[in-house]
Amino acid sequence: MNSLETVMPDLTYLFINKNATVHYQKEVAELVETAIVNQEGHLTHTGALAADTGHFTGRAPKDRFIVYDDLTKDEIWWGPVNQPIDAGSAGILLEQVGAYLSDRELYVRDGLAVSDPDHCVSIRAITETAFQNIFVNNLFIRPGAADVNARPAWSILAAPGFRCPNPEQYGLRQSNFVIIDFTRQVILIAGTAYTGEIKKGMFSVLNFILPRRKRILPMHCSANTDTSGNTALFFGLSGTGKTTLSADHERLLIGDDEHGWDTRGIFNFEGGCYAKCVGLDRTREPEIFDAVRFGALLENTVFYPGSRTPDYENTAKTENTRVAYPIEYIAGSVSSGRAPAPKNIFFLTADAFGVIPPISLLSTTQAMYHFISGYTAKVAGTEVGVKTPEAVFSACFGEAFLPLHPGHYAELLRERLTGTGIRVWLVNTGWIAGPYGVGRRIKLDYTRAMVRAALAGSLIDAAFHTHPVFNLQYPTACPGVPDAIMDPVSLWANDTAYYAQANRLAALFVENFKKFETAVSADVRTAGPHIA
């Protein structure tokens, strides 16, 4: 028996032949060398590996399925987000992918999800490419020592080269797919090399098992704290400033995307960050810019001609350029991944309608309503065909990853807020003085000033007004911000036009919330806007 076989983990439960060639728990340097030799990527001028994910440069939500069986049939929030696939079909596809991988060199890595040792989940990822294995190393928590003989709680198979030849036979839409099997405890990813499917597949798993088993609230948010334990959470969809506002050099980063909250505090689910690279520069985001170094993985970026320097403004391959790196690449990050419960929570929205106040203080039921709503807006230029502002609602600021009904997570939020004095703020990082195309986007410096005042506890001392349509309580003054900026109505040239626009957006909130009403309590249903 050669040395390779002596350290080979048992993968036969995944239908991978015991004689398959396996590279187990390899160092990142060796994986980088392998990726270059296999022509999976190139080194940048800073030493990061730049790789392409091929046809798919983002997730494929219409090709994601959850196995429908006795464990899930009455629990999952079935619908467009969580599409069912029968257990028999999933089992056959697992066997096919296992057989496919058996004939290839495999890269196997053991890691953990959830930084709290009382709740951590062991993971074994089997990837077809070396660069995917680097991603696994960077994004999951790296164990002090891996046990090759231990059976992990969850297994992830990533086989980008596998194409299902007859997808309709198994209820698939096309040849690529992501299947989450809660009974077998396997995530099956095939036909796509986009590494975000690995990360978000496991996040979806945690969003199912942690609330049901341990009443932990899983959250799609960033988190930071300070040396006094003044923790803050930042929720927000793409373009709302979540990463920018949480990456504050005066505070300590806990994590940039996935966290849990139990009765003792919060904790990061991950061991790294997966940051967007569009427009990245050292001035605006120095921490992320400097994290693009050896060991980091760039995805789908373009080099300046004749160089190995990434051109972060070039989106020829995709708008969704990314970099994955260990969290310790961020100076001042919290190595334990844990912190006390938050004192302040920020829901960020880029309101292109120009009517949401710059910052508002929410009651518990309002927090639940806006948590379930998860509002922001698209503006012209962000997507083909978008000419005017369009409202976007993503439940719990992460609808695509919620196996349970959003009302379930909102009730867990109520448990965490009740009787604690935790403040929840709705922050408009979008437009003021009119809608997109008429008004202007609020200055980042003003938003930072409001967030810092909220964290310091001084914002609560201001006089507050009540918004007549959204019923939001908003402060009329903030240090470092002109008073006129704080009033969403006075900046508009015409009050009538303002309220017409506010009612228009309020109606969209009401219409969106109808799909949740039967599974949320009455006090939450009535906590939203009221059309005047």
Side-chain angles (χ1 to χ4, degrees), residues 53-234:
T53 61
H55 176 72
F56 290 97
T57 57
R59 292 183 303 102
K62 293 181 180 179
D63 301 308
R64 172 187 174 276
F65 301 87
I66 293 177
V67 174
Y68 184 94
D69 58 17
D70 289 341
L71 176 61
T72 61
K73 63 182 181 181
D74 298 324
E75 298 283 345
I76 297 294
W77 182 39
W78 299 110
V81 172
N82 300 304
Q83 303 174 99
I85 186 171
D86 67 85
S89 294
I92 293 171
L93 290 168
L94 175 59
E95 291 186 33
Q96 291 180 358
V97 172
Y100 169 85
L101 291 174
S102 295
D103 293 333
R104 281 146 183 85
E105 289 197 37
L106 303 181
Y107 305 89
V108 179
R109 182 161 299 277
D110 290 342
L112 302 170
V114 184
S115 58
D116 189 311
D118 291 337
H119 308 309
C120 70
V121 178
S122 59
I123 301 164
R124 175 162 289 164
I126 298 93
T127 67
E128 185 179 353
T129 65
F131 84 83
Q132 290 174 302
N133 213 253
I134 295 171
F135 178 88
V136 171
N137 175 78
N138 291 354
L139 265 296
F140 292 133
I141 296 168
R142 294 158 290 282
D147 183 356
V148 69
N149 297 311
R151 176 78 171 264
W154 276 83
S155 300
I156 303 171
L157 282 74
F162 179 85
R163 302 285 191 278
C164 182
N166 47 349
E168 65 284 343
Q169 178 178 339
Y170 305 103
L172 303 177
R173 191 177 69 99
Q174 51 191 25
S175 61
N176 62 291
F177 54 86
V178 176
I179 296 173
I180 301 175
D181 190 330
F182 284 102
T183 298
R184 293 186 178 93
Q185 298 183 180
V186 171
I187 301 171
L188 192 58
I189 302 168
T192 172
Y194 179 64
T195 57
E197 297 283 19
I198 299 172
K199 162 188 163 67
K200 292 306 186 185
M202 197 62 213
F203 185 42
S204 297
V205 167
L206 298 174
N207 278 328
F208 182 74
I209 65 177
L210 294 181
R212 292 173 68 256
R213 295 179 185 174
K214 300 190 176 185
R215 300 218 44 92
I216 291 170
L217 173 60
M219 303 174 294
H220 188 210
C221 70
S222 58
N224 65 24
T225 191
D226 62 16
T227 55
S228 301
N230 183 7
T231 302
L233 305 180
F234 298 83

Side-chain angles (χ1 to χ4, degrees), residues 363-366 368-369 411 414 520-528:
S363 67
T364 295
T365 51
Q366 284 179 322
M368 295 170 69
Y369 182 94
E411 285 299 330
R414 188 203 297 266
V520 300
S521 57
D523 59 345
V524 178
R525 291 197 299 270
T526 58

